[in-house]
């Protein structure tokens, strides 16, 4: 009895020393940090020099006067003049494979793909810049209100020429790296009855990548978040850009919303209607669910209908990637380190978060989100009292030694208990799990070995039928403390000597060998994920 009392007291001391109320990332914070590093800005534009003759400006002035407009040209050159012109723009995309594959909208990259249309836009924009240089803006606005300005723009554009033309097809990663892109696959736009999706590639490996969800499971009313680079939140914007820093352009905008309707387009393909904010520049960005899985791609919004935006379901993107031979949901080294860092932060294990974050940062340096995350970790660690940070370690270390001593006393205290040699050699403890605390069934159904997390290597022998698995201690025999695991997630039962795993309507699903199941008879070597690939993984042995 003394030994039992001493052991119980020791465990209370260790638990008290280890207990600490520390800050944790909430689910939305965690998801935002998870998603944003993989979101990129895509630029597809051209610049040139538009050259024109002073005589062309005088001819246009005469035409304007003949039409009744009281205008007078100014700042006329002696002969030939030039202005800088540009055409095209930017949008958003997101990395879908760590080897540099990126998804976006086709219309984001369209400006530089048609050379004839691009040159026409450069000429027109150059002509507009030249007219603004030589005529008062108020007079040009008056002509514009009379629907006559386009004719004068076309007249000057046709008489001018382009020089020093330069096309830019570029991806800017969230850490500031700029890389030229190649188009691997592209679908027609929505108006042409296509999916408006494009798959790009850049020469860079080890990138953060987003996980693609299943758009078939998305329902009306489901919460989503869109991420992108709207032009109105850029330092280049004409209205507010003057007081925004260039560095802030790397900060993607994170907007909440819901799925408001599920519709079909003219080609009978599914599209999502949403009230999520999608502005110029957001096109091609991901829309994610609470787990950070991409369920749609921002594609179109109407300026006169603020609450009506449209998304391409992500399963269309899956089909495009498959046709290009690019696998979805490939996890690289960055994602593995970063996932473990986020898991540590969401459970209050900030020291683990900081170590994994440092490894992720070496693979993807200078990311503003990783820098901010590191500061969160440092602040959280400073908030833990000194005595808790160090006494807990000492208590656990001393406790382990004392437990070993207590075990030695118990072993040689004269009791006739024999411990099998294979247990003494085992590196992990094997627990026998029984339903409702009943005595263990001598015919064990099988064993589960936990494969990841802090309990990796722990073995659980299934000592009877009706064993419940989940997050809730009060109702489950096997407790898995992970936010993606439901309170009652699954159950193991025995039928005719076979082991049947049943999903109990869990929120994030039960998967056997990467296939989502409602119920499945287990066989030796099956790999089970409770709550998805990033949650809890176990191996079953018969």
């Amino acid at each position: 009895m003394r030994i039992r009392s001493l052991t119980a007291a020791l465990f209370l001391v260790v638990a008290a020393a280890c207990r600490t109320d520390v800050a944790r990332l909430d689910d939305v914070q965690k998801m935002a940090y998870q998603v944003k590093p993989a979101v990129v800005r895509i630029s597809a534009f051209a610049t040139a020099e538009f050259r024109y003759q002073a005589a062309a400006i005088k001819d246009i002035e005469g035409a304007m006067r003949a039409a009744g407009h009281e205008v007078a040209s100014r700042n006329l050159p002696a002969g030939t003049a030039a202005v800088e012109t540009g055409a095209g723009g930017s949008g958003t995309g997101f990395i879908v494979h760590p080897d540099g594959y990126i998804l976006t909208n086709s219309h984001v990259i369209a400006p530089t793909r048609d050379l004839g249309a691009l040159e026409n836009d450069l000429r027109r924009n150059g002509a507009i810049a030249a007219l603004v240089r030589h005529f008062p803006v108020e007079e040009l606005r008056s002509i514009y209100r009379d629907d006559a300005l386009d004719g004068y723009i076309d007249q000057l554009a046709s008489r001018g020429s382009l020089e020093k033309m330069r096309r830019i097809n570029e991806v800017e990663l969230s850490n500031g790296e700029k890389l030229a892109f190649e188009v691997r696959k592209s679908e027609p736009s929505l108006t042409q009855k296509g999916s408006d999706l494009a798959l790009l590639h850049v020469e860079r490996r080890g990138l953060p990548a987003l996980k693609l969800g299943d758009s078939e499971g998305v329902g009306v009313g489901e919460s989503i978040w869109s991420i992108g680079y709207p032009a109105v939140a850029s330092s280049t914007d004409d209205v507010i850009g003057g007081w925004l820093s260039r560095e802030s352009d790397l900060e993607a905008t994170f907007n909440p919303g819901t799925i408001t309707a599920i519709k079909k387009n003219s080609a009978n393909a599914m599209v999502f209607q949403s009230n999520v904010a999608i502005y110029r520049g957001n096109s091609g960005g991901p829309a994610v669910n609470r787990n950070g899985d991409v369920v749609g791609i921002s594609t179109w919004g109407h300026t006169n209908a603020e609450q009506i935006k449209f998304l391409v379901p992500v399963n269309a993107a899956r089909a495009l990637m498959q046709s290009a031979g690019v696998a979805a949901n490939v996890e690289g080294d960055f994602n593995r380190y970063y996932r473990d860092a986020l898991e540590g932060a969401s459970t209050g294990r900030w020291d683990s978060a900081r170590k994994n974050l440092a490894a992720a940062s070496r693979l993807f340096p200078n990311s503003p989100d990783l820098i901010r995350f590191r500061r969160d970790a440092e602040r959280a660690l400073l908030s833990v009292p000194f005595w808790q940070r160090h006494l807990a370690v000492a208590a656990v270390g001393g406790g382990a030694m004392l437990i070993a001593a207590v075990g030695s006393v118990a072993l040689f205290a004269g009791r006739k208990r024999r411990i099998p040699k294979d247990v003494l050699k085992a590196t992990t403890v094997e627990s026998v799990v029984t339903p409702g605390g009943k005595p263990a069934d001598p015919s064990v159904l099988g064993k589960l070995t936990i494969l990841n997390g802090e309990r990796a290597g722990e073995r659980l022998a299934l000592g009877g039928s009706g064993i419940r698995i989940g997050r809730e201690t009060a109702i489950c025999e096997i407790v898995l403390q992970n936010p993606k695991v439901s309170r009652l997630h699954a159950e193991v039962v025995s039928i005719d000597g076979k082991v049947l795993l049943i999903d109990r309507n869990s929120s994030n699903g039960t998967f056997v060998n990467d296939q989502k199941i409602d119920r499945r008879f287990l066989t030796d070597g099956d790999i089970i994920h409770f709550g998805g690939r990033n949650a809890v993984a176990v191996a079953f042995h018969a």
Side-chain angles (χ1 to χ4, degrees), residues 222-245:
E222 182 167 337
S223 295
I224 59 170
W225 287 260
S226 73
I227 305 96
Y229 292 99
V232 291
S234 166
S235 63
T236 60
D237 180 66
D238 294 336
V239 179
I240 68 172
W243 52 269
L244 289 173
S245 71

Side-chain angles (χ1 to χ4, degrees), residues 367-388:
S367 165
D369 295 292
L370 269 68
I371 292 170
R372 186 177 297 109
F373 188 8
R374 186 179 68 235
R375 290 171 183 164
D376 289 346
E378 290 169 352
R379 282 195 299 269
L381 286 168
L382 288 173
S383 69
V384 178
F386 176 86
W387 69 269
Q388 283 184 329

Side-chain angles (χ1 to χ4, degrees), residues 247-407:
E247 289 75 17
S248 69
D249 288 350
L250 295 175
E251 280 288 344
T253 302
F254 191 78
N255 293 315
T258 57
I259 299 294
T260 56
I262 298 176
K263 298 189 174 183
K264 295 286 186 70
N265 65 13
S266 57
N268 204 38
M270 184 170 67
V271 293
F272 293 146
Q273 180 180 313
S274 175
N275 58 9
V276 73
I278 300 175
Y279 303 107
R280 182 172 60 89
N282 273 99
S283 293
V288 301
N289 60 18
R290 290 185 179 276
N291 295 328
D293 300 337
V294 181
V295 295
I297 298 96
S298 302
T299 186
W300 184 83
H302 199 292
T303 54
N304 296 325
E306 184 63 31
Q307 297 299 311
I308 299 178
K309 314 292 181 180
F310 289 95
L311 309 168
V312 177
V314 75
N315 284 6
R318 283 179 174 272
L320 181 69
M321 291 174 63
Q322 185 176 10
S323 69
V326 178
N329 298 340
V330 174
E331 187 178 52
D333 289 340
F334 173 90
N335 280 69
R336 281 189 282 271
Y337 286 122
Y338 198 47
R339 179 197 64 211
D340 290 344
L342 290 166
E343 286 296 328
S346 65
T347 55
R349 296 178 291 109
W350 287 100
D351 190 54
S352 171
R354 183 173 60 177
K355 290 176 182 176
N356 284 293
L357 188 57
S361 297
R362 286 192 289 272
L363 296 170
F364 193 64
N366 303 320
S367 165
D369 295 292
L370 269 68
I371 292 170
R372 186 177 297 109
F373 188 8
R374 186 179 68 235
R375 290 171 183 164
D376 289 346
E378 290 169 352
R379 282 195 299 269
L381 286 168
L382 288 173
S383 69
V384 178
F386 176 86
W387 69 269
Q388 283 184 329
R389 274 182 279 161
H390 298 279
L391 180 59
V393 174
V396 171
M401 294 176 64
L402 187 53
I403 289 171
V406 170

Side-chain angles (χ1 to χ4, degrees), residues 4 9 25 108 110 114 247 255 269 482 492 498:
R4 290 182 182 177
L25 283 184
V108 169
D114 185 335
E247 289 75 17
N255 293 315
N482 186 292
V492 174
K498 297 180 180 179

Side-chain angles (χ1 to χ4, degrees), residues 447-471:
K447 299 175 183 178
L448 299 179
T449 301
I450 299 178
L451 301 177
N452 58 358
E454 292 183 337
R455 297 171 63 186
E458 183 177 340
R459 295 193 295 268
L460 305 169
L462 306 177
S465 182
I467 295 171
R468 293 161 295 187
I469 302 168
R471 200 177 66 245

